[in-house]
Amino acid sequence: MHGFPQVIVFLGISLDGFIAGPAGDLSWLSECANESPAETGYDELMGRTDALVLGRNTYDAVLGFSDWPFGGKRVYVLTHRPMAPAHGEIALQGDIEQALCRVQASGARTVYLDGGNVVRQALEKNLVDELVLSWVPVVLGGGIRLFEEGLTPSRWQLAKTRSFQSGMVQASYLNGCSAERLECGTGEPA
Amino acid sequence: MHGFPQVIVFLGISLDGFIAGPAGDLSWLSECANESPAETGYDELMGRTDALVLGRNTYDAVLGFSDWPFGGKRVYVLTHRPMAPAHGEIALQGDIEQALCRVQASGARTVYLDGGNVVRQALEKNLVDELVLSWVPVVLGGGIRLFEEGLTPSRWQLAKTRSFQSGMVQASYLNGCSAERLECGTGEPA
């Protein structure tokens, strides 16, 4: 099984670069950008996604929702801690590259990544093909940054941009280099 | 003399939040976003600017240009070190708030701020009225951040957004609160 899945990241981000506020707070996202998932393109993105790879913190947060939002999708959780899957989700250990090769081997072609640590790992290894950033017009002052220092410099192609009533500005970027660099072998990452 | 000048910031910023690369490198700006100052709106902004307040590093960098780009403008330089003005520029000591009151007292109504430290000071004190950010589609991996941690949370109004051939996305934000909070007294900041 060769090739590598298309990896998509879709995140709201403050003007000062935070994807979550202090203590993981996400309330600013819904308070300051009240567009529906249909309006923001999240629904369209989910429609073309085969599989999700979530970080453990994100997974645990989603478990707290009243409904499981990923019915019908294969969901993988990158975690080193025990978990009790309630919806068929699969725990994966190892690094993000190994995880994506496992997901690829299952037949998935388009993978949605979520969770700060997971996305940062993927950015560090230049594994993200499509990066959709929605800048929410707030300065948070602190929290969890999407981009830490020390990433390998990279260039992106702007594919689409649009703005919303709330003042949110969304830009979709494509990474022309990522997919070519990596190939999954027969079980082991290349 | 009451009131406070309109304070404008206009900066190119990488996707990871840097306004200059390692060692202050700015070459990525012209390499990755080759639009002219007329196209980006910089010329229009300069046309409605009475005065510039520059940080010392920015001023020293501008002195290295073949031509002085600010002919006909009042230029103030925030610095604690001696300088030898060559184009009528005025050295100011003190903090950004005191500097802006001095500029206001001179009759200026619209002030352009430039320089990472100066802009950060103004953001920290919520003195920026108009923030024009041009996201250049690169990840730099390091350098000088525009937004450090610890800023007071603030909300901004999106006034305009546009994208460019290079993939740069520009958004202009207005700060509804800043001007109301401050007033210059008769020599001392209120």
Side-chain angles (χ1 to χ4, degrees), chain A residues 12-71:
Chain A
I13 185 167
S14 71
L15 297 182
D16 49 346
F18 298 103
I19 53 173
D25 175 39
L26 292 175
S27 61
W28 55 281
L29 272 175
S30 50
E31 279 165 25
C32 301
N34 53 2
E35 283 82 6
S36 72
E39 288 173 291
T40 62
Y42 178 84
D43 286 352
E44 181 273 330
L45 185 156
M46 278 294 137
R48 60 189 169 97
T49 292
D50 298 313
L52 293 91
V53 175
L54 308 179
R56 183 61 188 266
N57 292 339
T58 299
Y59 170 68
D60 285 344
V62 169
L63 283 183
F65 295 176
S66 51
D67 293 310
W68 175 247
F70 305 128

Side-chain angles (χ1 to χ4, degrees), chain B residues 2-190:
Chain B
H2 286 277
F4 209 74
Q6 284 286 110
V7 175
I8 305 175
V9 168
F10 183 100
L11 286 169
I13 185 167
S14 71
L15 297 181
D16 49 346
F18 298 103
I19 53 172
D25 176 38
L26 293 175
S27 61
W28 56 281
L29 273 175
S30 50
E31 280 165 24
C32 301
N34 52 2
E35 284 81 7
S36 71
E39 289 173 292
T40 62
Y42 178 84
D43 285 351
E44 182 273 329
L45 184 156
M46 277 294 135
R48 60 187 168 95
T49 292
D50 299 313
L52 292 91
V53 175
L54 308 179
R56 182 61 189 264
N57 292 339
T58 299
Y59 170 67
D60 286 345
V62 170
L63 283 183
F65 294 176
S66 51
D67 294 309
W68 176 246
F70 304 128
K73 303 283 183 200
R74 275 176 281 190
V75 176
Y76 298 85
V77 181
L78 260 182
T79 186
H80 297 286
R81 288 176 277 141
M83 54 179 255
H87 319 83
E89 53 277 29
I90 298 159
L92 293 178
Q93 281 84 38
D95 66 16
I96 183 68
E97 202 169 331
Q98 292 169 319
L100 286 171
C101 282
R102 276 282 306 277
V103 173
Q104 163 81 8
S106 78
R109 292 293 171 269
T110 305
V111 176
Y112 172 87
L113 287 196
D114 203 1
N117 287 335
V118 168
V119 171
R120 262 194 305 278
Q121 279 185 51
L123 286 168
E124 276 162 20
K125 298 193 168 187
N126 201 22
L127 298 174
V128 177
D129 295 283
E130 187 177 340
L131 177 62
V132 183
L133 296 178
S134 297
W135 280 286
V136 177
V138 296
V139 169
L140 288 183
I144 298 169
R145 282 199 190 278
L146 174 57
F147 297 102
E148 298 288 350
E149 313 237 352
L151 290 174
T152 304
S154 58
R155 289 180 73 156
W156 296 75
Q157 287 188 298
L158 181 67
K160 193 165 82 170
T161 179
R162 52 183 175 165
S163 60
F164 297 88
Q165 188 68 34
S166 66
M168 186 168 74
V169 175
Q170 185 181 80
S172 304
Y173 298 96
L174 302 178
N175 181 348
C177 303
S178 58
E180 294 159 29
R181 293 195 188 162
L182 287 154
E183 230 173 63
C184 299
T186 53
E188 289 297 308

Side-chain angles (χ1 to χ4, degrees), chain A residues 116-185:
Chain A
N117 287 335
V118 168
V119 171
R120 262 193 305 277
Q121 281 184 49
L123 286 169
E124 275 163 20
K125 299 194 169 187
N126 201 21
L127 298 174
V128 177
D129 295 283
E130 187 176 341
L131 176 62
V132 183
L133 295 179
S134 298
W135 280 286
V136 178
V138 295
V139 169
L140 287 183
I144 298 169
R145 281 198 190 279
L146 174 57
F147 297 102
E148 296 289 349
E149 313 236 353
L151 291 174
T152 304
S154 59
R155 290 181 73 155
W156 296 75
Q157 287 188 297
L158 181 68
K160 193 165 81 171
T161 179
R162 51 183 174 165
S163 59
F164 297 88
Q165 188 68 34
S166 65
M168 186 167 75
V169 175
Q170 185 182 80
S172 304
Y173 298 97
L174 302 178
N175 180 348
C177 303
S178 59
E180 293 159 28
R181 293 196 188 160
L182 286 154
E183 237 179 54
C184 299

